[in-house]
Amino acid sequence: MLNYVLRRGFMALLVALTVSFGTFALFHFATDPAQTIAGEDAPQEMVDEIREQYGFDRPVLVQYGDWLGGVLQGDFGKSYFWKQQVVELIQEHAKVTILLALSALMVTVAIALPLGISAALKPNSWVDRLALSTAVSAQAIPNFWLGLMFIILFAVTFPIFPVSGDATWKHYVLPSLVLGASSVPAVMRLTRTGLLDVLSSDYIRTARAKGFMGYRLILQQAMRNALLPIVSVLAVQLGHKLGGSVVTESVFSMNGLGRLAVESIFNSDIPTVQSLILIFVLTFVLLTLAADLINAWLDPRIRMG
Amino acid sequence: MTTASILDIQDLSVEIPTDSATLKAVRGISLDLKRGETLGIVGESGSGKSMTALAIMNLLPPSARRAAACINFDGSDLTHSGERELATKVRGQRIGMIFQEPMTSLNPVYSIGRQLTETMTLHRNVSGAEAEQRAIQLLEKVGLPDPASRLKQYPHELSGGQRQRVMIAMALMNEPELLIADEPTTALDVTIQAQILYLLQDLQKELGMSMILITHDLGVVSRSADKIAVMYAGDIVETGTAEEVLRNPQHPYTQGLLECVPGYRGNDAHRLGSIPGIVPSMTGTIRGCAFASRCPRAVDACKTDLPPRKQLGPGRTYVCHDPDATRNQATFGAEEAANEVAVELPKTPGDTVLTVDSVSCTFSVRRGLFGKRKSLKALDTVNLDIRKGEVLALVGESGCGKTTLSRTIMGLQQPDTGSVSLGQHEISTLPAGQRARMIQPIFQDPYSSLNPRKTIGDIIGRPLVVNRIGSKSEQLAKVHKMMEHVGLPRRVFNSYPDQLSGGQRQRAAIGRALIMDPEIVICDEPTSALDVSVQAQILNLLLDLRDELDLTYLFVTHDLSVVQHMADRVAVMYLGEIVECGDRSQVLSNPKHPYTSALLDSALSISPDLSVPAPGLSGEFPNPMNRPSGCPFHPRCPVAEQQCREEVPKPEIIDTTFVKCWKARTFSHQAKHQ
């Protein structure tokens, strides 16, 4: 087991470093950071001076090493655009995003799992059809549109929740629903097909021959097997929510990491963008790792393989 | 034995609706089983045996529909029991069930211990500790060493044979009155099969259980069953005691099945009997006898009128018109068999075409990132030669290195030391194309070894295209000729593999192998995925083709009856070594190695007056990673002595037979049985 954790952890670190170096290099080849800092119309001497002063004339690998060394000591650099330490910026925005992502995940699980399970228990029944049509429509409806409709319905027509912002828990209800709904189709379908697969397997037939039926058959025999792919997909979905809920954050005017990233990109704020990418990648990689570990705990074949 | 019935089934039908029509999987069968008795249900795949077994406790797939006049189990009618009543009162408690696939029938994410104990705690008010006690007892009884520590293990840590033992223990947790075993040994090696059947027989006597044993293997059923029901196309076509049915079969189908079994006609018969065609699928209104289209005795009435059930005595029935006009008509290619005997000439050994010269193959296996590398010796100084025109059988249990050896011979696996040479050439130095022209394989599973997206014509002609042999029209002509050779009708040229039956697919695989005119054909268990009637067709075909095309076969198999029928010479493998190799008659009738002798004992021929013999081999096939010292066979060998444990036996030749055993000169197969 320890062996497994170490191996996966090592791989995760490798992936994170590769992606962050890739984006770092891309930025340096695609844009000229000295020009960005100096401004569009600055004279060439000034740009050159900034280039030398900031060390942009050194090889990319050296610059990356330099930056990474800082990151390891908690120094993510200073934002060109916000004129603020990147660490502070991220701290300010991360709280909103984490809260939003976690509550959205709860919405997804609360809708998708029961719906998927009941659909699998009675394939081709009305529950199944309801679940599948929910999935199709949820997949077809764009996030921003659903967000706007929610605002019109629950904030304007019936003013139950606030229209925008991130001050109180009430501000999070509508965005969580919108963001959570976007993952429902994938998770629901996976629960349904996964459970259907498991239920038609030989070992479930064995369990039935032993006298298992009803909820015991599902919970004590089938569910653990069906959970494996669901855990993996939930991790990816949570990663998306933590990294890229740009649309939802924009529609509800929430000051999360997604919006910070977009604005930093528009303003070519390289230190912020780089730091955010590193954080997004690390989050993703760590979540996948967590999913793998949960799956290893659930399934002895992974644990001992 | 009391005479009270424990199970009485009347008029049971199972129907499975499909998109196009409703399939009648079981058609109004009646069965009767007395307390303590074993009923064997035999038939080919698709005959409805498994559906019958599942129908008893209503474990059928959700789409299937069951109907029955009654399923009387110990006085109560199970047709009236709802799902809840079946689950809480019958399943796993009074009726236990063992399934065919030990590899997939245990829940992979729960420990053996949990899966055993829950069977008991689910139904009875017992503590976990009591259930665990019982589980340990049963695991011990089914012959798993160190049962207490097994409880913590997971299914994937056990071998197929071990898992099947766990399945049996699980079915017995609540001491059921009836045990239904659906092909319990089909997926296992012959040695394990004999152990499991012996175990079931033993447990049954001890616990006074009744048993329904479902199998396609007539040898198995002849040894284990008191009564036999032969199923065909969803109907029971013949019943009687094992003795009556196997000694004096009345239904042409039963006769045909027996004729197909290698060895049934005597070892000298050149050809096996075979049943032409395949089991028809039963849809729509059934007219006439379902077997009529394949029956050599069929007359017009058979095709139009439902056959009557004839009673010969108590419990002895068969369903057949039994037309007088064809009463003495020879059945199933027997006249050919009579002709063939004269044709068989004593064979003079041909020149050696292929030589395997002290080939060793070691794989390095590592567990985990930081685990130690361990070496796995798959082949250990193997010497073998194959002579022109012969059939050399390679026999051994799974894991013994048969596959590695055949891969090495085909040049797909580089040996660490030693060489394989074909005529003048060393295999490893030949370019792939030339190698393929000389050696071609036929694989075990015709369902997965043919590309599902190519037509049969494409598949057979593919080697010609790959190696650019001949023009388009020449290739086409060759394919057509080959299809004729292997007995494929012209119309399947444009069919896809999934439109063909298993036998036809294997014919296509044979055609593909032979189209290059190879020197040597490597047949890797070519019939073990097939029904016995189809197996007979394929074996006949392989022998015919050898005579017609002057072929040489390396025949890899675990089935000794097939070896007996096909082989000129036999090589027996154990843990990567050839332990005995010689002429078929020598090796099979007078084996010099105790392992060969044990294999022979495990092979169950059809003999209803014999029971399953006590297993001659103790224990399981060892893990090749932990090779025993000295003679690798010594831990399981009945005659092993100190020398065997310490020194690796020297190869020697005794009466033209190669053998590797310290006791070969004193060991006698016959003496063991006196």
Side-chain angles (χ1 to χ4, degrees):
Chain A
M1 185 67 189
L2 182 70
N3 195 339
Y4 180 80
V5 176
L6 285 175
R7 193 174 60 210
R8 298 311 303 244
F10 179 69
M11 295 295 286
L13 203 66
L14 216 62
V15 171
L17 282 178
T18 313
V19 174
S20 93
F21 176 69
T23 47
F24 190 94
L26 267 180
F27 256 116
H28 276 261
F29 294 130
T31 66
D32 184 350
Q35 187 84 60
T36 312
I37 294 170
E40 289 289 318
D41 308 320
Q44 189 60 42
E45 305 86 69
M46 191 176 157
V47 176
D48 288 342
E49 195 183 313
I50 289 177
R51 183 169 293 138
E52 203 167 313
Q53 192 186 333
Y54 280 77
F56 292 142
D57 49 353
R58 296 172 299 163
V60 182
L61 208 58
V62 176
Q63 290 186 53
Y64 180 70
D66 201 32
W67 175 75
L68 197 66
V71 168
L72 288 180
Q73 293 162 34
D75 176 16
F76 283 77
K78 197 176 167 195
S79 160
Y80 308 152
F81 177 74
W82 311 93
K83 311 283 185 229
Q84 201 181 345
Q85 285 299 319
V86 175
V87 181
E88 288 167 25
L89 263 178
I90 289 176
Q91 275 170 351
E92 278 165 29
H93 291 76
K95 202 191 93 190
V96 175
T97 297
I98 292 173
L99 263 176
L100 177 61
L102 287 180
S103 48
L105 187 76
M106 282 194 279
V107 170
T108 303
V109 171
I111 300 176
L113 283 193
L115 213 54
I117 293 174
S118 29
L121 286 184
K122 292 206 165 82
N124 298 323
S125 66
W126 67 268
V127 194
D128 191 22
R129 287 182 212 291
L130 177 80
L132 284 178
S133 38
T134 313
V136 171
S137 29
Q139 205 138 42
I141 295 170
N143 241 356
F144 72 89
W145 185 84
L146 188 67
L148 293 177
M149 287 304 115
F150 273 15
I151 291 175
I152 293 174
L153 200 62
F154 298 112
V156 179
T157 315
F158 306 101
I160 312 169
F161 298 107
V163 176
S164 65
D166 48 36
T168 66
W169 68 267
K170 279 193 169 180
H171 286 94
Y172 284 89
V173 175
L174 293 182
S176 305
L177 283 174
V178 171
L179 194 57
S182 67
S183 310
V184 166
V187 179
M188 201 287 297
R189 274 174 209 272
L190 205 66
T191 312
R192 179 181 177 273
T193 49
L195 196 56
L196 270 180
D197 261 5
V198 170
L199 286 178
S200 64
S201 68
D202 288 342
Y203 53 83
I204 291 300
R205 189 181 56 186
T206 308
R208 288 186 63 213
K210 277 158 69 170
F212 279 91
M213 63 171 284
Y215 77 96
R216 280 188 169 208
L217 186 70
I218 302 297
L219 295 182
Q220 294 178 11
Q221 299 288 329
M223 209 50 213
R224 192 154 172 173
N225 287 284
L227 268 181
L228 299 170
I230 299 173
V231 168
S232 307
V233 150
L234 279 180
V236 174
Q237 296 290 347
L238 183 61
H240 278 304
K241 285 169 184 159
L242 283 169
S245 47
V246 183
V247 175
T248 313
E249 283 178 14
S250 305
V251 169
F252 291 94
S253 304
M254 302 178 89
N255 257 323
L257 291 176
R259 271 180 90 195
L260 179 66
V262 170
E263 282 171 29
S264 306
I265 291 172
F266 283 153
N267 294 302
S268 294
D269 189 1
I270 297 174
T272 315
V273 175
Q274 268 162 8
S275 307
L276 281 173
I277 285 174
L278 182 65
I279 285 170
F280 289 159
V281 172
L282 268 181
T283 316
F284 233 97
V285 161
L286 287 177
L287 280 171
T288 328
L289 177 66
D292 286 347
L293 293 182
I294 293 176
N295 277 345
W297 171 69
L298 287 172
D299 188 343
R301 286 167 300 180
I302 304 177
R303 190 161 63 219
M304 299 170 185
Chain B
M1 199 182 291
T2 56
T3 47
S5 276
I6 180 140
L7 185 70
D8 179 22
I9 300 176
Q10 295 293 331
D11 203 17
L12 170 71
S13 306
V14 176
E15 295 190 343
I16 303 170
T18 62
D19 288 338
S20 50
T22 296
L23 180 72
K24 296 182 168 108
V26 179
R27 300 182 292 140
I29 62 160
S30 299
L31 278 176
D32 177 56
L33 181 64
K34 306 255 185 295
R35 238 173 232 289
E37 245 180 5
T38 300
L39 168 71
I41 302 183
V42 281
E44 294 175 272
S45 45
S47 60
K49 326 183 280 286
S50 292
M51 286 296 160
T52 305
L54 292 171
I56 295 171
M57 289 195 283
N58 206 8
L59 291 168
L60 292 162
S63 61
R65 288 195 301 258
R66 178 185 79 164
C70 78
I71 301 177
N72 233 323
F73 174 66
D74 196 26
S76 61
D77 190 346
L78 298 185
T79 52
H80 298 312
S81 308
E83 180 74 7
R84 173 161 298 277
E85 199 184 329
L86 281 172
T88 52
K89 299 216 171 92
V90 182
R91 290 180 193 155
Q93 200 168 191
R94 301 189 61 196
I95 304 181
M97 202 154 172
I98 306 170
F99 295 99
Q100 176 172 5
E101 298 87 5
M103 302 313 268
T104 53
S105 290
L106 292 172
N107 198 330
V109 299
Y110 295 117
S111 68
I112 302 299
R114 171 175 163 158
Q115 296 190 52
L116 282 166
T117 50
E118 71 188 3
T119 317
M120 201 169 179
T121 49
L122 183 69
H123 293 295
R124 299 185 190 182
N125 194 12
V126 292
S127 71
E130 281 172 273
E132 207 159 275
Q133 214 49 51
R134 168 99 180 134
I136 293 174
Q137 262 174 22
L138 277 175
L139 284 183
E140 190 148 29
K141 197 168 264 174
V142 298
L144 271 186
D146 195 12
S149 66
R150 296 278 172 195
L151 295 184
K152 289 190 208 69
Q153 285 189 307
Y154 289 90
H156 74 273
E157 296 175 80
L158 307 182
S159 70
Q162 290 173 328
R163 290 188 212 189
Q164 199 59 303
R165 285 163 204 260
V166 172
M167 279 294 289
I168 293 173
M170 207 155 81
L172 298 180
M173 278 301 278
N174 292 316
E175 293 189 9
E177 291 141 80
L178 171 64
L179 183 67
I180 304 173
D182 187 358
E183 304 264 12
T185 57
T186 303
L188 307 173
D189 270 319
V190 276
T191 50
I192 310 294
Q193 160 167 300
Q195 288 177 21
I196 299 270
L197 290 173
Y198 185 75
L199 168 71
L200 281 175
Q201 183 179 285
D202 216 37
L203 287 169
Q204 187 190 9
K205 257 185 232 146
E206 190 185 321
L207 306 172
M209 268 186 319
S210 315
M211 191 155 92
I212 296 180
L213 178 69
I214 293 163
T215 176
H216 69 280
D217 188 327
L218 292 163
V220 166
V221 86
S222 78
R223 305 297 188 98
S224 310
D226 303 309
K227 287 196 305 194
I228 289 181
V230 181
M231 277 192 90
Y232 183 77
D235 195 12
I236 291 180
V237 295
E238 180 160 4
T239 60
T241 64
E243 180 85 32
E244 288 166 344
V245 172
L246 298 174
R247 289 259 185 263
N248 190 17
Q250 291 301 309
H251 197 283
Y253 178 63
T254 317
Q255 290 165 0
L257 273 185
L258 285 164
E259 293 276 329
C260 288
V261 177
Y264 179 76
R265 274 182 178 171
N267 294 332
D268 297 330
H270 185 48
R271 291 180 64 88
L272 298 169
S274 59
I275 306 175
I278 52 166
V279 182
S281 56
M282 292 284 116
T283 52
T285 329
I286 283 104
R287 294 174 62 228
C289 170
F291 188 58
S293 61
R294 305 173 75 187
C295 182
R297 289 185 57 198
V299 294
D300 288 344
C302 298
K303 296 185 174 105
T304 49
D305 304 337
L306 283 176
R309 184 171 295 276
K310 293 185 177 160
Q311 187 98 24
L312 292 177
R316 178 85 178 108
T317 61
Y318 68 109
V319 183
C320 183
H321 288 290
D322 208 354
D324 284 324
T326 53
R327 182 164 303 281
N328 294 315
Q329 187 150 319
T331 53
F332 305 104
E335 76 281 8
E336 289 173 59
N339 296 339
E340 291 290 340
V341 179
V343 180
E344 226 186 339
L345 300 166
K347 233 179 242 88
T348 43
D351 301 331
T352 300
V353 282
L354 184 132
T355 317
V356 178
D357 186 18
S358 15
V359 161
S360 294
C361 226
T362 308
F363 298 118
S364 175
V365 183
R366 188 159 74 165
R367 292 207 117 196
L369 183 64
F370 307 109
K372 241 203 261 165
R373 278 196 170 276
K374 269 191 151 180
S375 60
L376 187 161
K377 215 170 210 180
L379 294 178
D380 188 8
T381 32
V382 171
N383 288 298
L384 199 65
D385 54 309
I386 305 176
R387 298 169 196 156
K388 184 74 198 153
E390 76 170 352
V391 179
L392 173 64
L394 188 60
V395 198
E397 291 167 274
S398 32
C400 74
K402 295 185 301 235
T403 304
T404 312
L405 181 58
S406 59
R407 284 177 57 88
T408 312
I409 290 176
M410 281 187 275
L412 300 177
Q413 171 77 46
Q414 279 297 332
D416 296 334
T417 57
S419 64
V420 180
S421 39
L422 189 63
Q424 313 301 322
H425 313 279
E426 194 170 311
I427 284 283
S428 53
T429 62
L430 286 178
Q434 207 174 339
R435 206 174 59 208
R437 247 172 267 182
M438 297 168 130
I439 304 184
Q440 279 288 318
I442 299 167
F443 294 110
Q444 172 174 10
D445 187 355
Y447 294 86
S448 59
S449 60
L450 300 180
N451 186 338
R453 289 173 205 287
K454 292 247 190 262
T455 63
I456 294 302
D458 277 347
I459 289 172
I460 296 178
R462 189 75 190 150
L464 297 176
V465 178
V466 171
N467 290 292
R468 299 203 190 86
I469 298 172
S471 66
K472 266 243 153 64
S473 57
E474 281 168 2
Q475 289 177 355
L476 204 65
K478 257 190 146 171
V479 171
H480 278 296
K481 194 160 164 241
M482 185 47 71
M483 286 177 65
E484 210 170 291
H485 265 310
V486 298
L488 281 174
R490 276 183 101 89
R491 65 187 149 76
V492 304
F493 186 86
N494 286 317
S495 310
Y496 290 91
D498 64 336
Q499 296 169 301
L500 268 54
S501 69
Q504 283 180 321
R505 284 185 228 201
Q506 201 57 305
R507 284 171 193 271
I510 293 171
R512 175 181 63 180
L514 296 187
I515 199 144
M516 299 284 288
D517 259 332
E519 288 273 340
I520 295 177
V521 181
I522 296 183
C523 311
D524 191 352
E525 306 260 14
T527 59
S528 60
L530 305 173
D531 269 318
V532 59
S533 70
V534 184
Q535 161 172 306
Q537 293 169 19
I538 297 292
L539 294 181
N540 283 343
L541 174 69
L542 284 170
L543 283 180
D544 290 348
L545 287 172
R546 178 188 64 161
D547 296 343
E548 263 171 60
L549 306 173
D550 199 18
L551 295 168
T552 306
Y553 294 132
L554 174 66
F555 207 95
V556 181
T557 181
H558 68 276
D559 188 336
L560 285 170
S561 62
V562 171
V563 174
Q564 177 75 266
H565 178 72
M566 295 283 291
D568 299 312
R569 285 195 306 138
V570 183
V572 182
M573 277 192 94
Y574 190 81
L575 266 183
E577 289 176 35
I578 292 194
V579 294
E580 182 162 1
C581 178
D583 286 339
R584 176 199 61 189
S585 52
Q586 275 291 322
V587 175
L588 295 193
S589 54
N590 187 19
K592 309 227 164 17
H593 198 288
Y595 179 59
T596 316
S597 160
L599 278 183
L600 280 169
D601 291 343
S602 311
L604 303 176
S605 59
I606 300 177
S607 18
D609 42 347
L610 294 179
S611 56
V612 183
L617 278 186
S618 52
E620 296 231 350
F621 195 79
N623 183 347
M625 306 255 268
N626 306 317
R627 269 176 94 86
S629 63
C631 171
F633 183 59
H634 85 252
R636 299 170 78 189
C637 182
V639 294
E641 282 181 359
Q642 196 58 28
Q643 186 184 24
C644 307
R645 285 184 271 274
E646 286 162 359
E647 290 172 64
V648 177
K650 282 199 187 63
E652 53 186 329
I653 308 253
I654 307 172
D655 313 334
T656 72
T657 305
F658 168 96
V659 65
K660 238 177 160 180
C661 172
W662 290 120
K663 316 290 290 177
R665 287 191 184 275
T666 48
F667 178 77
S668 163
H669 181 65
Q670 275 82 19
K672 201 170 86 177
H673 292 277
Q674 275 157 18

